[in-house]
Amino acid sequence: MMKKAVQLFKHKAFDLRWALLSGILVGTSYIPFPPWALLFCYIPLWISVTADNSPLKKAFWSGWTTQFVLSAIGFHWIAYTAHEFGAMPWIISILALLLFCAFMHLYIPAAVTAGAWLQRKFKLSRIQTIFSIALLHALLERIWPVIFDWNLGYTLLGAHIPAYQWADVIGFAGLSAVILLCNAWIAAIWLGFRESSKNFVQIAILSVVLVFFVVGGHFHKTRWDQFDQEFKTTIIQANIGNSEKIQAEQGRGAQEFITRKFTSMTMDAFAKFPDTDLFIWPETAFPDYLDQRLLNRKHTQILINSLTGMDKAIMAGAYSRSPVLDPHRDEATFNALFLIDSKGNSLDAPYLKTNLLAFGEYLPFSEKFPVLLKWLPFVSNFGRGTGPRALSWNHGGQSIKLGGQICYEGLDAHFSRGLAEENSDVLVNVTNDSWFGRTSEPLQHMYMTLARAIETRRPLIRSTNTGISTVIWANGDLQQTSPLHEEWSGEFTVKYRKNAPITPYVKWGHFDWIVLLIALFGIVLTGALNARSRRP
């Protein structure tokens, strides 16, 4: 029995070897790895599923294998997070990772299976089918519900390849579509070489396209090299551990320790960087409410007394409590971003986080089915804000618009487009990545957040609890980055353009989906007409 099982496994593994290879190529080409296989990572999968009219079942399982492997490589930190954040035993945490890998990126097998079906239904050629799969993949990855909304476009920023500069036109999802279509193009050239040796024209054209995107991106950047305003900001990274964060959230004694740590580090940084205009604390750095009507609370008074003599503005992640809702209800508390002076006075109304993290900050479907909150009372259920909003900071005789993002919101391109449309001069992202340890997630999260600066052409300040904190200018120039899991403070000069123009991406969004859809219909129609003309 065991011998038969081993033989079956070997047979299936051999049958899915090209899908397995694609999973490895994609997984090892994403951040933090260099994008060494970026232009051919999906080719083994696509070529294997379009050969000899293989069954749709095989196409699906081939795509599933690819997405499982790349998910296990790229998102291995899910297990660590389940253990650290969810307090699950390691065996359960590993099972959570396996479930994530099994279901989270099903748009990959969906695109492959749909492409294989189109091949049979409309008599598409093998090359037409591969391009159809690439187009379907590009379209589906934009609408598929995922927790960590990644795509291959981010690898360009992570590797500092200037092609990422085109994101202000088509977004990083658009860059991902270009990469997928290059994969299809190279696959077509490969198949053409097997049938004919006269494909050098195709190679030349593809080379010109790639040079245009890379070299053209370098020159495209130059229009954003001009700035007319600047200010100095200092980021405070206090490196608060998870146990202290949990104790503070539950009101079990760590609030004073955390408050004093942030205030003492801020005063030390003020002595070191006296010309700083704005200090920035990360997500939920202040472990209590900062609302104006609640300034008499113990920890708020500690903050005010500790910052005496520092006449500077502070942007701090903290909690806000609704004055309307019952304070004993979970929904009455918000994850918020405050802009205050050193006496705790609000310089503008706080921003309340809108895009909440499933299971970490809200229970999915609980808004329609409140009974779920009674069944699962241990799941946090924060109040939800009303959307992107810029905070106004009066500095140097002018109003500077600071577009706040709290953690997860930095991954939402649509959210940052909204901040740009609110005339934000600078984007500010506050984050707590302490739940991910020393995995690849902090680096992935950093680059995916910094991408919003390129799409909107607004500088972005990223302040984190444990790293990685940094600043990126609107032209894509990345400044110094903080170390991971260390106490640190750093001063940055934030250069920006007042009333910066709205980018095509902010104005139109992912308008290129129309082009992708038209191209897909064109391929299907062409294949169908050609098949019809071949009938006797």
Side-chain angles (χ1 to χ4, degrees), residues 155-464:
T155 59
L156 301 173
L157 178 58
H160 308 289
I161 299 172
Y164 73 79
Q165 296 286 355
W166 294 107
D168 62 356
V169 179
I170 59 176
F172 277 84
L175 292 174
S176 181
V178 172
I179 293 169
L180 292 167
L181 289 171
C182 285
N183 270 256
W185 197 346
I186 292 172
I189 292 173
W190 172 257
L191 292 174
F193 263 120
R194 295 180 63 184
E195 298 168 4
S196 170
S197 59
K198 299 179 180 179
N199 271 283
F200 295 106
V201 173
Q202 292 288 323
I203 295 174
I205 295 173
L206 175 60
S207 299
V208 170
V209 170
L210 294 176
V211 169
F212 169 78
F213 269 95
V214 176
V215 178
H218 173 78
F219 289 102
H220 181 67
K221 162 188 180 291
T222 57
R223 65 171 298 203
W224 300 100
D225 286 338
Q226 303 300 317
F227 312 100
D228 54 25
Q229 303 288 334
E230 67 177 52
F231 63 87
K232 292 186 181 296
T233 187
T234 292
I235 298 173
I236 304 298
Q237 179 177 300
N239 193 35
I240 302 298
N242 290 332
S243 59
E244 289 86 357
K245 292 286 290 185
I246 293 173
Q247 290 175 30
E249 289 174 3
Q250 298 176 351
R252 293 194 285 112
Q255 292 168 297
E256 182 173 344
F257 164 76
I258 295 174
T259 301
R260 293 192 182 280
K261 189 168 186 179
F262 269 103
T263 53
S264 64
M265 286 188 66
T266 300
M267 293 304 291
D268 290 343
F270 175 55
K272 185 177 179 181
F273 309 117
D275 58 346
T276 287
D277 303 302
L278 175 68
F279 288 87
I280 302 183
W281 295 2
E283 179 185 16
T284 60
F286 183 68
D288 206 340
Y289 302 110
L290 262 180
D291 302 288
Q292 287 296 281
R293 68 186 190 283
L294 302 174
L295 291 184
N296 60 346
R297 293 172 66 86
K298 172 185 175 181
H299 304 103
T300 313
Q301 287 298 306
I302 292 175
L303 180 149
I304 294 170
N305 295 332
S306 299
L307 298 179
T308 300
M310 189 191 80
D311 188 19
K312 301 290 184 179
I314 300 172
M315 202 169 191
Y319 297 99
S320 176
R321 190 167 73 190
S322 170
V324 179
L325 297 175
D326 180 351
H328 298 292
R329 291 176 56 185
D330 289 341
E331 299 91 334
T333 298
F334 296 83
N335 188 346
L337 185 57
F338 287 80
L339 182 62
I340 61 173
D341 62 20
S342 59
K343 297 181 177 61
N345 298 312
S346 289
L347 304 179
D348 197 358
Y351 164 69
L352 308 179
K353 188 176 182 182
T354 303
N355 294 357
L356 304 180
L357 180 63
F359 300 105
E361 293 174 317
Y362 83 101
L363 182 61
F365 307 111
S366 63
E367 293 172 343
K368 291 186 177 181
F369 305 102
V371 69
L372 293 175
L373 296 173
K374 295 182 179 180
W375 294 346
L376 302 168
F378 51 86
V379 178
S380 298
N381 192 46
F382 284 88
R384 189 184 297 272
T386 56
R389 187 178 72 80
L391 282 69
S392 294
W393 172 39
N394 293 318
H395 171 68
Q398 69 172 340
S399 176
I400 302 175
K401 297 287 189 179
L402 302 173
Q405 316 165 336
I406 300 179
C407 193
Y408 194 68
E409 293 172 328
L411 304 183
D412 184 353
H414 179 74
F415 185 90
S416 292
R417 286 176 58 210
L419 289 175
E421 291 170 343
E422 288 283 314
N423 298 315
S424 297
D425 298 305
V426 177
L427 304 182
V428 180
N429 178 269
V430 294
T431 292
N432 175 33
D433 271 350
S434 62
W435 309 106
F436 303 100
R438 295 185 179 275
T439 64
S440 59
E441 193 279 345
L443 193 63
Q444 292 174 347
H445 197 177
M446 181 191 76
Y447 278 115
M448 292 171 68
T449 300
L450 298 182
R452 308 288 83 85
I454 312 303
E455 291 173 338
T456 63
R457 291 301 182 182
R458 267 69 177 167
L460 187 147
I461 305 168
R462 186 170 193 258
S463 174
T464 67

Side-chain angles (χ1 to χ4, degrees), residues 11-30:
H11 173 74
K12 291 295 183 182
F14 181 80
D15 205 32
L16 298 172
R17 62 192 183 283
W18 300 116
L20 177 64
L21 176 59
S22 270
I24 294 171
L25 294 179
V26 178
T28 58
S29 294
Y30 195 68

Side-chain angles (χ1 to χ4, degrees), residues 22-44:
S22 270
I24 294 171
L25 294 179
V26 178
T28 58
S29 294
Y30 195 68
I31 303 165
F33 301 103
W36 68 280
L38 191 63
L39 295 178
F40 58 87
C41 53
Y42 280 107
I43 291 178

Side-chain angles (χ1 to χ4, degrees), residues 135 511-520:
L135 291 166
F511 62 90
D512 59 316
W513 71 267
I514 300 174
V515 178
L516 299 178
L517 198 58
I518 291 173
L520 179 61

